[in-house]
Amino acid sequence: MPADFDTIVNLAKKRGFVFQSSEIYGGLRSAYDYGPLGVELLRNVKEQWWHAMVRIRGDVVGLDSAVIQAPQVWEASGHLGSFSDPLVECRNCHNRFREDKLESLDQCPSCGRRDTFTEAREFQLMFRTNMGPVESDENTVYLRPETAQGIFLNFDNVRRTSRLKLPFGIAQIGKAFRNEITPEKFVFRTREFDQMEMEFFCRPEDAERWHNYWLEQRMNWYHDLGIDPDRIRLRRHEQDELAHYAERTDDVEYLFPWGWDELEGIANRADFDLRQHAEHSGKDIRYFDQEANERFFPHVIEPAAGATRTTFALLIDAYEEEDVRGDTRVVLKLDKRLAPIKVAVLPLSKKPELLEVSDRIADELRPHRAVEHDITQSIGRRYRRQDEIGTPLCVTVDFETLDDRAVTVRDRDTMAQERVTIEGLGPYLTDKLG
Ligand code: GAP
């Protein structure tokens, strides 16, 4: 059974996955810092995405474009004109809300007063700043609200230098910023977040086929990482939900503690972006098909996922409570590729002769995988802590180790224990963890 909201937020804070940003100053709402375990988990999520979307494919290459781009980019992409949410304010308590997220337009959810909302006005979601020392309209630049535009801007550069032919994709992982009216639900909706986006360029007539292909690929990715198949689904957007650039969009939704909500959007952006950038820049960035001797704008299928949001969903999904001889064992059943720590090395006691061996084992394992050497508290408590942070294997050094040069390896999920020689530990772990 996955975690409820408060349980997972408390665990994330208590174990050092996620901290409130600027906590010592009272916290900055909607911004979070990833602690020692959180940063490992987040990196592993991104690594798995990159592996599946770029590394193992011959038709997708990577990119890392700038956060700040020419302001004309946002004019052309339509973000300056239409990237906004409808904002209403309560005249009584002055709290502000996204009109489309309110349950009732008659009553303020903060102060409870009725008929106090102002007319909705469109609120621009892009963060604005100035480039250079002078603050003026000419120097206004924006923090990118999606990583995607950097890909469109570099479409021709990448095509030319990588010599790829249609269909091909360009992938990017990076920060995006949105001045959300209502940041909410811990790291689910924040004003600064990580996206994992890929633009797959194809011939217009093939777009629908590739769209369906990517729906399947992306669902397979989540399933392969162990997400409960009953808690993840695809939902096609209604016509009136579509973003200004999209012909068709399907959301990958996860059953969060508050209900089904978006994890990833898979959109057919047609040729909207390339055409707009060609028009606004005056550069011919059409694709030239030598065989057919024709020049055209490719269409684009875009699987766009949130790395921070996916990490949150994976944490929720992995959480389990088990009854072990009348005691509750909390265990994060994270896929071993995602687990922040792969192996915990635990000496049974702090006796120097045990510490010397456990220290050496931990040092020898460290170049190969994320290892924690934990020497404090009783062994039972240390096992529980490792279960709670999702460590797949614990290696215990006990007094017998000094005689038989072997250690006990405990499996997180089954709690089964196996005796393994120190010499054979490396290959044993490779066999279990890859
Ligand atoms: N380029 C298309 C695009 O940006 P989107 O549906 O607005 O599409 C893609 O964003 C993904 O980015 C979302 O499915 C979500 O996982 C993540 N995301 C969007 N806004 C977010 C926010 N405020 N906080 C955290 N993640 C967010």
Side-chain angles (χ1 to χ4, degrees):
M1 188 62 197
D4 65 46
F5 183 73
D6 289 339
T7 306
I8 207 71
V9 170
N10 289 337
L11 182 132
K13 288 180 176 166
K14 181 175 93 178
R15 292 303 186 195
F17 281 93
V18 179
F19 305 119
Q20 178 76 60
S21 164
S22 319
E23 202 174 270
I24 60 170
Y25 289 101
L28 180 68
R29 203 169 151 238
S30 97
Y32 292 91
D33 301 334
Y34 287 75
L37 297 177
V39 70
E40 292 286 346
L41 178 58
L42 185 58
R43 285 174 74 118
N44 293 341
V45 169
K46 292 177 190 172
E47 186 53 39
Q48 285 308 313
W49 187 88
W50 196 260
H51 180 77
M53 302 295 280
V54 183
R55 282 275 152 70
I56 62 169
R57 303 187 63 97
D59 56 355
V60 179
V61 291
L63 180 78
D64 193 348
S65 70
V67 165
I68 298 176
Q69 294 155 10
Q72 298 94 308
V73 171
W74 310 111
E75 188 89 51
S77 70
H79 284 82
L80 268 176
S82 30
F83 194 57
S84 55
D85 279 335
L87 171 94
V88 291
E89 183 175 330
C90 170
R91 288 194 193 87
N92 181 49
C93 68
H94 299 291
N95 275 312
R96 292 169 172 191
F97 305 91
R98 246 176 89 170
E99 186 191 35
D100 56 329
K101 294 278 175 188
L102 280 171
E103 263 174 37
S104 154
L105 278 175
D106 299 331
Q107 190 173 21
C108 171
S110 269
C111 66
R113 286 278 286 271
R114 290 187 170 276
D115 302 322
T116 54
F117 284 129
T118 56
E119 284 293 307
R121 69 177 169 88
E122 287 303 312
F123 177 75
Q124 170 53 248
L125 294 178
M126 280 197 293
F127 277 98
R128 224 170 28 179
T129 186
N130 285 277
M131 194 99 157
V134 183
E135 242 182 72
S136 70
D137 282 352
E138 294 84 74
N139 293 345
T140 299
V141 288
Y142 301 88
L143 304 188
R144 66 180 177 198
E146 60 170 12
T147 57
Q149 292 306 322
I151 297 179
F152 296 121
L153 298 182
N154 282 290
F155 166 73
D156 204 44
N157 285 337
V158 174
R159 180 204 57 74
R160 200 167 17 84
T161 51
S162 60
R163 294 175 296 149
L164 285 164
K165 293 209 164 27
L166 289 185
F168 70 88
I170 306 175
Q172 166 153 236
I173 297 178
K175 290 267 187 199
F177 303 83
R178 294 180 191 178
N179 200 1
E180 301 278 2
I181 297 170
T182 42
E184 54 178 351
K185 302 177 182 115
F186 197 45
V187 295
F188 178 81
R189 191 183 313 284
T190 49
R191 292 188 170 124
E192 172 181 343
F193 53 97
D194 286 335
Q195 285 191 315
M196 310 184 285
E197 298 198 292
M198 197 270 287
E199 308 301 323
F200 196 79
F201 301 93
C202 62
R203 294 190 66 90
E205 61 272 25
D206 296 336
E208 185 69 4
R209 184 165 60 81
W210 283 112
H211 193 131
N212 293 331
Y213 168 86
W214 283 109
L215 293 183
E216 195 185 334
Q217 290 294 309
R218 296 303 303 141
M219 286 300 275
N220 288 347
W221 186 78
Y222 292 104
H223 290 155
D224 179 53
L225 289 178
I227 283 226
D228 181 348
D230 291 335
R231 301 180 69 87
I232 192 158
R233 70 177 187 191
L234 284 168
R235 185 185 66 81
R236 189 165 175 164
H237 276 207
E238 302 293 337
Q239 208 58 28
D240 61 358
E241 278 180 90
L242 291 172
H244 62 275
Y245 51 73
E247 280 204 349
R248 171 187 168 188
T249 299
D250 297 78
D251 280 349
V252 178
E253 293 189 333
Y254 179 71
L255 187 52
F256 285 93
W258 57 89
W260 290 100
D261 219 332
E262 178 185 339
L263 205 49
E264 166 166 354
I266 299 164
N268 177 348
R269 293 177 81 128
D271 59 1
F272 177 83
D273 303 88
L274 289 182
R275 196 178 275 280
Q276 287 289 104
H277 287 307
E279 268 172 30
H280 281 72
S281 68
K283 298 277 180 321
D284 186 359
I285 53 174
R286 286 175 301 167
Y287 179 84
F288 180 63
D289 185 329
Q290 270 175 336
E291 274 158 42
N293 194 26
E294 59 171 334
R295 211 174 273 282
F296 62 96
F297 288 108
H299 281 208
V300 175
I301 305 301
E302 173 195 70
T308 37
R309 194 178 282 186
T310 301
T311 300
F312 187 33
L314 285 161
L315 266 180
I316 294 168
D317 204 72
Y319 183 94
E320 281 188 26
E321 288 182 8
E322 291 175 358
D323 186 67
V324 180
R325 293 184 293 279
D327 239 8
T328 304
R329 176 174 94 113
V330 171
V331 51
L332 274 190
K333 293 200 167 166
L334 285 170
D335 183 279
K336 59 185 194 264
R337 292 165 292 179
L338 300 175
I341 306 290
K342 311 294 184 207
V343 183
V345 180
L346 315 171
L348 193 63
S349 86
K350 281 189 189 164
K351 289 257 162 48
E353 57 271 38
L354 292 193
L355 280 184
E356 194 195 322
V357 180
S358 62
D359 227 357
R360 194 160 358 105
I361 293 177
D363 274 350
E364 277 170 18
L365 297 179
R366 274 199 189 97
H368 309 289
R369 44 182 57 86
V371 169
E372 191 170 277
H373 187 215
D374 186 3
I375 62 173
T376 45
Q377 294 183 315
S378 74
I379 191 71
R381 279 184 166 228
R382 277 181 282 163
Y383 280 151
R384 288 298 146 84
R385 178 175 176 277
Q386 294 300 334
D387 289 343
E388 218 175 287
I389 64 172
T391 307
L393 296 172
C394 289
V395 169
T396 306
V397 175
D398 54 28
F399 289 100
E400 264 176 65
T401 307
L402 303 177
D403 297 326
D404 66 0
R405 309 295 302 158
V407 288
T408 302
V409 182
R410 173 186 177 273
D411 181 279
R412 176 195 70 195
D413 297 342
T414 62
M415 291 189 287
Q417 304 198 354
E418 220 178 322
R419 203 75 186 156
V420 179
T421 63
I422 295 177
E423 211 179 311
L425 191 57
Y428 176 90
L429 295 178
T430 305
D431 182 44
K432 294 276 176 191
L433 300 169

